[in-house]
Amino acid sequence: MITLHHYLGQWQELLRLFLHQMEKGASRFGALGRQLHQYRSRALANACISPPRFKRGPARVSETPARGQQKSQIIRMASTTILLCACVAAAGASLEVVNQWNYLQFDFPPDPVLLEKFQPENTVPTGLEIGWDRLYIGIPRLRAGVPATLAWVPRSLPPGVSPVLQAYPDWSWHTAGRGDINCTGLISVYRTRADRCNRLWVLDSGIFTSIDDFRRVCPPKILIFDMATDRLVRSVYFPRELLRPSSLLTNLILDDTRSPNPHLSATCDNIFAYISDTVTPGIIVYDSRRDNAWRVTHASMYPDPNLGEIDISGEKFTLMDGVVGLAHSPAQGLLYYQPLATDRLFSVSTAVLASGPPAEGADLPVNLVGRKSSQGLGVAVDPRDDTIIFSPMTETAIVAWNPITNNHRLLAQDAEKLQFCAEVRWAERDNGAVWALSTRFQKYFLRTISKHEINIRIVRVVDGAYINLQPHVLRRAAHFNSTVY
């Protein structure tokens, strides 16, 4: 069946070709060529607007499959629509490339086995934490050949360099890289987070070669290191009943705002962690002070089967990942989350999450915050004004939206430098600058990666280079009503 979307897609492509040919013909006419180039940029930005989403009235969304006996809920899609069609190339100048690599390289110890097993074409990072003097990089063992699953580089290097990575905290924690599995060491780290006490929380999934054959070699855990001494100060293991056979823990958020007692709030362990289980979708809540954990789940944490295919610069691949993107608004008391395979952003109250295990049969009060123009992974919140910062993958952009003021901004757009932003961070240890970890993950996934091209970048949005987007580029429903699932 040929749809309106199909016709609009053909029209956009014809418009591109027509304007391109006109621009080529007019390029030798000076001012006329420049005017035509400007017209072409405006026209493409307008053409990038998604076609209207025709509503068919109430839409039925099933509840969590794990609770099949629960009734489906009725929702009405009258919520925010964030149409992020940021095709304005002028924003590319706002990016500073902090580090970049064709392939990651490591400062190896004198170990021939480790060198022999290293496969740089399989070594792609997914996690970034900004320390005071270091950048911490999570490199999960998606495929074989990853020597160290957590590494760091100095922050003091000149922009754009390609430093060798130092294993964190040292190579003795990474024996899995040479084939020696030690469950007290580090197996496969997707992401890390630093807390207010200058400790690094390292989330270890315990999964080997998760893309190829998904081998669980160790239980998942959290290791907490003192960033001043690089020494382990605490280990956290999860109760067996919270995990599923295919659980894959990929992200965590630290929340130190939940203490009703001001004296307790000053202690380092008075903190909650919210952890995403991506393959068997759910969120694990960990109360660090009580050393207790529980699990919540909801249908919105599952992937949308219609949005599993991702298109980045014309390369398409399918990844049916559930909840993975997490961000926290302390002022609003909300945890924002998104599956990879969706165009929606959701939220849930942290007071609800931190109140303890949900009662049997109780529904989790989840809000639909908005809809995006394409899938995304990294998401962050600027706590100064509760602006949500994220990266729609097809648009290869970093954008900001304030759900309180409905202000939209294009922070950066670059078809080359912003492919697959696995992390988008608001950096407290860099005066609130926005950072991103960009990889050409689609090429790693499809095995089309080239060692002759830059494939990995850590970028920083230069302050003051933000572009306010016009209402026709970003819009939301006229009658905003945050829908409760």
Side-chain angles (χ1 to χ4, degrees), residues 23 97 115 119 151 184 211 215 295 369 401 428 430 445:
E23 184 182 340
V97 177
L115 283 168
Q119 298 182 49
T184 62
I211 287 182
R215 290 190 291 130
R295 182 185 180 99
V369 178
W401 172 60
E428 180 182 6
D430 188 24
F445 188 84

Side-chain angles (χ1 to χ4, degrees), residues 404-468:
I404 301 172
T405 65
N406 196 31
N407 181 41
H408 305 84
R409 290 179 296 165
L410 172 65
L411 306 188
Q413 194 277 333
D414 195 302
E416 182 67 22
K417 297 176 183 176
L418 294 178
Q419 296 182 23
F420 199 94
C421 287
E423 283 270 47
V424 175
R425 303 302 315 279
W426 180 87
E428 180 182 6
R429 291 168 172 83
D430 188 24
N431 298 316
V434 175
W435 291 59
L437 171 64
S438 168
T439 73
R440 304 171 87 184
F441 177 83
Q442 72 278 10
K443 293 184 178 292
Y444 284 93
F445 188 84
L446 298 171
R447 297 187 184 275
T448 59
I449 200 76
S450 170
K451 65 181 179 181
H452 303 295
E453 300 172 342
I454 297 174
N455 298 301
I456 302 163
R457 292 178 176 88
I458 295 174
V459 298
R460 180 177 177 271
V461 178
V462 176
D463 189 31
Y466 301 163
I467 296 175
N468 287 317

Side-chain angles (χ1 to χ4, degrees), residues 187-203:
I187 304 301
S188 186
V189 174
Y190 282 82
R191 287 170 184 87
T192 64
R193 293 294 179 260
D195 66 16
R196 65 174 181 267
C197 294
N198 207 38
R199 302 181 306 174
L200 189 68
W201 293 54
V202 178
L203 180 62

Side-chain angles (χ1 to χ4, degrees), residues 31 71 110 168 189 225 292 309 343 410 480:
K71 293 183 179 180
Y168 187 87
V189 174
F225 294 90
N292 190 21
E309 184 180 76
D343 61 352
L410 172 65
F480 170 63

